[in-house]
Amino acid sequence: MDGERDAGGRRGKRAGPEAGPAAAAEAAEAAAEAAAEETEAEAAAERAGRRRRSSEPAAEARGTTVLHEAVSYSPQPLSARHFDTSTTEPVSFFLSSLEELLAWRPTGDDDFNVAATPLAKRQPPLHAARPRTLVCHDMKGGYLEDRFIQGSATRNPYVFYHWRYIDVFVYFSHRTVTIPPVCWTNAAHRNGVPVLGTFIAEWVDGEKLCEAFLAGGPEAYRAVSEQLARIAQHYRFDGWFVNLENKLSEAAVRNLPLFLRHLTARVHEAVPGGLVLWYDSIVQSGQLQWQNELNEQNREFFDACDGLFVNYNWKEEQLERSKSLAGQRLTDVYFGIDVFARGDVLGGGFDSDKPLSLIRKHGFSAAIFAPGWVYERLGEENFLQNENEFWGLLAEHLPTHSICTLPFATSFSLGMGSGRFVAGKEEEAGPWYDLSTQEIQPLYAERQGGLSTSCCLGDAWRGGSSLRVQGTILAGEERVAVRLFSFQVPAPPKLLLTLLYKLEGPQRDELAVSLELATQDSGSCRTDGVTPVAEPDARHHPRFLPAPPPGLAELLGGCARGARGWTSRCYELDLQDCSLHDLSLLVSRHQASPRDTSFACLLGEVQVLDAASLAGSPPQVLHVWASQLRWQEGPGAELLSLSLTLRWSYPPGRARGFRVRCEGARCPGGRPGPPWLLGLAQGCAYRAVGLAVPRPAARQPCRLELLVEPVRADGLPVPPERWGRLLLVYSEPAGSAS
């Protein structure tokens, strides 16, 4: 691999008001108030210095936890590995040495780094008999803005969103143990892509590291493989890319295949669908000699794991020579493409399609290394346009993947933006970046047949961006269809579909927008292998619902109304004995025209839902509690700054995230501040940083209410009485004058 490029980055934090829920559940509020009143006498005793309570639940009623806390300016210690030392925000991290790897043990502070999004199913599966595409992300040494687990205020960040084209994502850095930042795992998993970390050793220091665990007995290398498997299992990513680039002694190279076999077996046991790949570097003599092919010098290592990442300096004759040795494992050989075109390589940059076409010609998989070249070399300002061009040039050689589960919902957000939108309204201005919130991404068509799809950062329904679809309805034609998503999932008897869109341009009044769903006979739909490619049997235009059906008013009640220029539509479709195939956007003329009609349409949200699955009541968020409180003076004489960690309980897989809100602090004789959105959490933990709260007066404790709202995968709103609530009653510091 290429040497580490300069690391850098900046960070920031957002804060801003947002309209809270219409009203808190009266019963929960009353219970919380009663519990608070009952314990104020104890709080007064604590303020007098008799004792100080810890942040343990004092009472819980109907989802509300009440905690009592005396302000203390002696902060609880935080792990420098897990939290930013200046702000206490949670951060992703790596391990720098073999000693750190062997000493690693999970702790409660690891909660933030555990991926909350399970690996989505999709077709074809990873081990289907077709060439795969791997992306190896290497940018400036890694762990830049992506290390901030709850996001940062980064302007024009690097994002990857062409997930439909790829099979495996590797997060690469030159750290000994590269644990992928959790935001990448969440984004990739939501789009059905497994994520690998990197175990690396390089040059002189790498030689010492390898000798330490490979040159001795099996207990040493087995300890390393056990730890690597445990780490992947604990943080819920999908395996390892092993990259050893240093010479090995005779004893060490003799144990190398045994290590790879043991690591592969342990990863397969610990991680469903887990994967271990080996980099073409060391040969069987122990020398560091990149082969640029599969041959007898590196075959033993290939045979010991799930695949070989071949170095980049190959020629076509090396592809031909590799075929016979690969045999039935042809697609387990990933020939490298260095987008930076370092060394004696074919293509690179916008010519990366040239090596890719040769790799596909011979039936191999491809490993695209450092596609962030688009961002690093061509600049930030036009990144999205250049990124679409880069992947558009490769698209001919990149088989796509299909979605195979319902419910399906996406707002197209890239996990970044120049503002944050809620229901079509910009609730927070300013740049933000949080890949964990990236939504399922569509098939991006780059100027195919006069159509293009791209990201729009200036307007959105939810998140930071919408999808802009542009094209032309040619003279004499009635409409044009833009394929957005491919499906391979048995259709339920009744489907509900929702669409939020906004037409732009002077000809928008001449046009209509709707959805088209293609199906095929369900006999061709399988869940364990490659489904035969077939033309759809039928194309359906679902029925428009001007009013919601009984029982679904919460979801569909606003469908006929527009909001802030957005048009909302709901549709119903009855199906039998078929499978979903394609979802397309239709743009049609109201009347025939002898001239071409150009259009531009923003898509804010699309949902495909099984009507039968929407009736259940959502679970209650339970056991909200706080820990790791940090109080600081200011800003200003009347305010304190509070940071704390929230945790809660919720059934796995029942929410695609959580909105954490603050209802504002209330002090006797004062007015509560306006409610606002603190941020988004993927799992059941969130760290609130730098909350400005009123300073409590003597014997007059203040109250701060924090709320956790689950976001359902099917888009249904969760009523406030099912949210989690924490009422923090805080008083003057322990030991203050009574």
Side-chain angles (χ1 to χ4, degrees), residues 416-689:
M416 50 85 75
S418 55
R420 193 183 290 273
F421 292 81
V422 177
K425 179 183 178 182
E426 187 179 55
E427 294 288 348
E428 293 183 50
W432 65 274
Y433 169 63
D434 182 0
L435 275 179
S436 280
T437 68
Q438 187 182 87
E439 297 276 356
I440 298 174
Q441 294 299 302
L443 298 164
Y444 282 86
E446 178 63 24
R447 298 296 175 189
Q448 297 179 355
L451 299 172
S452 70
T453 50
S454 60
C455 171
C456 173
L457 295 173
D459 201 356
W461 177 255
R462 187 178 71 241
S465 56
S466 57
L467 185 71
R468 174 174 279 116
V469 181
Q470 294 175 281
T472 301
I473 305 175
L474 299 177
E477 295 185 359
E478 296 181 2
R479 63 190 181 191
V480 66
V482 183
R483 182 168 170 251
L484 298 175
F485 296 97
S486 172
F487 286 87
Q488 290 186 30
V489 55
K494 185 184 291 292
L495 279 175
L496 293 170
L497 299 92
T498 71
L499 170 66
L500 280 150
Y501 70 91
K502 180 184 290 189
L503 280 165
E504 299 178 317
Q507 296 174 309
R508 60 181 180 270
D509 293 335
E510 304 173 19
L511 302 171
V513 176
S514 61
L515 292 175
E516 179 182 78
L517 188 64
T519 63
Q520 62 189 44
D521 179 14
S522 61
S524 66
C525 183
R526 298 203 306 268
T527 59
D528 57 346
V530 181
T531 300
V533 177
E535 289 298 319
D537 295 326
R539 296 188 178 276
H540 306 272
H541 302 122
R543 296 183 299 276
F544 171 65
L545 293 176
L552 295 177
E554 283 187 297
L555 175 64
L556 306 180
C559 285
R561 302 191 300 271
R564 300 178 182 89
W566 292 90
T567 300
S568 184
R569 292 285 184 262
C570 295
Y571 307 91
E572 183 182 61
L573 183 62
D574 297 317
L575 297 170
Q576 187 173 1
D577 297 328
C578 63
S579 61
L580 307 184
H581 188 269
D582 284 328
L583 181 67
S584 299
L585 182 76
L586 288 185
V587 183
S588 312
R589 291 191 179 103
H590 291 306
Q591 297 179 342
S593 173
R595 69 179 192 277
D596 292 350
T597 303
S598 299
F599 67 86
C601 179
L602 299 183
L603 298 187
E605 188 170 72
V606 172
Q607 294 178 305
V608 181
L609 310 172
D610 179 356
S613 69
L614 301 181
S617 176
Q620 171 81 54
V621 176
L622 294 173
H623 311 304
V624 185
W625 62 288
S627 63
Q628 299 172 320
L629 278 72
R630 181 186 186 189
W631 297 92
Q632 293 178 298
E633 296 277 1
E638 302 301 319
L639 294 175
L640 298 175
S641 175
L642 170 63
S643 300
L644 54 82
T645 298
L646 291 175
R647 288 183 172 86
W648 56 89
S649 299
Y650 201 76
R654 298 296 298 274
R656 66 182 182 189
F658 301 87
R659 297 187 184 100
V660 182
R661 304 175 187 269
C662 181
E663 284 293 323
R666 291 174 292 170
C667 297
R671 293 185 177 183
W676 72 91
L677 177 71
L678 292 181
L680 306 176
Q682 297 301 303
C684 295
Y686 182 82
R687 180 143 183 93
V689 176

Side-chain angles (χ1 to χ4, degrees), residues 237-293:
F237 60 95
D238 306 288
W240 293 99
F241 173 46
V242 181
N243 180 199
L244 307 184
E245 295 193 71
N246 47 259
K247 66 180 182 179
L248 297 179
S249 68
E250 181 179 346
V253 76
R254 186 168 55 247
N255 281 332
L256 179 55
L258 302 177
F259 163 66
L260 290 174
R261 288 188 186 279
H262 192 260
L263 173 62
T264 302
R266 287 297 296 117
V267 167
H268 289 179
E269 292 171 7
V271 180
L275 197 65
V276 174
L277 301 181
W278 167 254
Y279 182 57
D280 163 32
S281 52
I282 296 171
V283 295
Q284 61 183 5
S285 67
Q287 295 302 305
L288 177 61
Q289 295 175 353
W290 299 271
Q291 298 298 289
N292 303 301
E293 64 180 344

Side-chain angles (χ1 to χ4, degrees), residues 118-123 164 189-192 401-410 440 485-492 495 525-527 580 607-610 613 713-714:
L119 180 61
K121 295 180 180 179
R122 64 178 188 168
Q123 287 285 356
R164 297 291 125 212
H189 278 187
R190 187 169 291 116
N191 286 277
H401 291 268
S402 300
I403 294 161
C404 62
T405 56
L406 295 180
F408 168 78
T410 182
I440 298 174
F485 296 97
S486 172
F487 286 87
Q488 290 186 30
V489 55
L495 279 175
C525 183
R526 298 203 306 268
T527 59
L580 307 184
Q607 294 178 305
V608 181
L609 310 172
D610 179 356
S613 69
D714 56 20

Side-chain angles (χ1 to χ4, degrees), residues 165 353 356-357 360 390-400 448:
Y165 293 130
D353 59 318
L356 181 57
S357 66
R360 295 302 195 226
F390 176 83
W391 288 95
L393 292 169
L394 302 181
E396 177 186 352
H397 309 292
L398 299 174
T400 58
Q448 297 179 355

